[in-house]
Amino acid sequence: GGRGMKVAQTAADMEQAFHSARAEGKAAFGNDEVYIEKYLTTPRHIEVQVFGDGKGRAVHLGERDCSLQRRHQKLIEIALAPNLSEDQRSALHAHATRLASDGRYRSLGTFEFLLDQASDEVFFIEANPRIQVEHTITEEVFGLDLVAMQLRIAAGATLGDLDLSPRPRGTAIQ
């Protein structure tokens, strides 16, 4: 939830930010381990909805933009993400389905990325191997019951057993 995140603009800032993040982590979570990552000044937070069958096959059901946040907490999600180029959209979908395929992922999940608007680079954040509260806007746009489909995959269905052919229609906001 953004706890412990610090931004260091200079080398001098780094030491203070490092010690501050360690202290906050220790106090809040009992763990003072820190990792360092590149800071993006103009990111978009994009989630890709993925189904995997556990046999190396995965498909996506579009994406959601959850860039509008306060204190690193999502405020609004929009499906499908507005103002993405086709190249950006295709790259995000390809990254998500490749991660799911290569990992032999079996279920419905959400693969989250940061898209750096300055460079068009895509950075993986995390995979949520479960249904998320935001799944309902994907359901609205695709006209599918994702929970029922997830249960079918859990019961042994393959991607070929599911109707994943609907084209997205409209926009949904949560």
Side-chain angles (χ1 to χ4, degrees):
R3 296 287 310 265
M5 292 175 60
K6 309 295 178 198
V7 177
Q9 300 289 345
T10 67
D13 293 343
M14 180 69 80
E15 186 173 353
Q16 191 278 328
F18 181 80
H19 291 296
S20 176
R22 286 188 69 187
E24 188 174 337
K26 183 71 170 176
F29 309 111
N31 183 337
D32 68 353
E33 293 180 14
V34 172
Y35 67 90
I36 299 170
E37 62 187 357
K38 180 178 181 175
Y39 178 71
L40 304 177
T41 57
T42 58
R44 287 183 68 184
H45 187 153
I46 308 290
E47 303 175 338
V48 179
Q49 190 72 69
V50 173
F51 266 107
D53 67 4
K55 296 175 174 44
R57 292 182 300 266
V59 296
H60 72 85
L61 287 174
E63 75 289 329
R64 301 183 294 260
D65 188 323
C66 51
S67 299
L68 187 56
Q69 300 183 11
R70 180 178 56 225
R71 292 190 294 270
H72 307 289
Q73 296 295 310
K74 301 170 191 172
L75 294 176
I76 294 177
E77 293 235 6
I78 304 170
L80 299 171
N83 303 317
L84 285 181
S85 71
E86 283 310 309
D87 286 345
Q88 291 169 325
R89 195 178 310 275
S90 294
L92 288 158
H93 294 167
H95 287 307
T97 54
R98 181 169 180 208
L99 285 167
S101 295
D102 289 354
R104 297 200 169 287
Y105 183 73
R106 180 176 174 214
S107 191
L108 170 88
T110 303
F111 288 70
E112 299 191 28
F113 302 90
L114 289 180
L115 171 63
D116 185 3
Q117 295 182 96
S119 68
D120 265 358
E121 287 181 276
V122 174
F123 298 88
F124 174 72
I125 302 174
E126 65 179 342
N128 291 298
R130 58 178 163 69
I131 197 85
Q132 287 187 282
V133 68
E134 303 91 350
H135 80 279
T136 56
I137 61 173
T138 298
E139 288 181 326
E140 288 294 324
V141 169
F142 283 89
L144 297 171
D145 183 340
L146 299 182
V147 174
M149 294 170 78
Q150 181 181 30
L151 291 171
R152 290 189 61 204
I153 288 281
T158 66
L159 294 179
D161 298 326
L162 303 176
D163 179 15
L164 296 168
S165 61
R167 310 287 294 161
R169 61 190 190 332
T171 299
I173 300 174
Q174 179 180 36

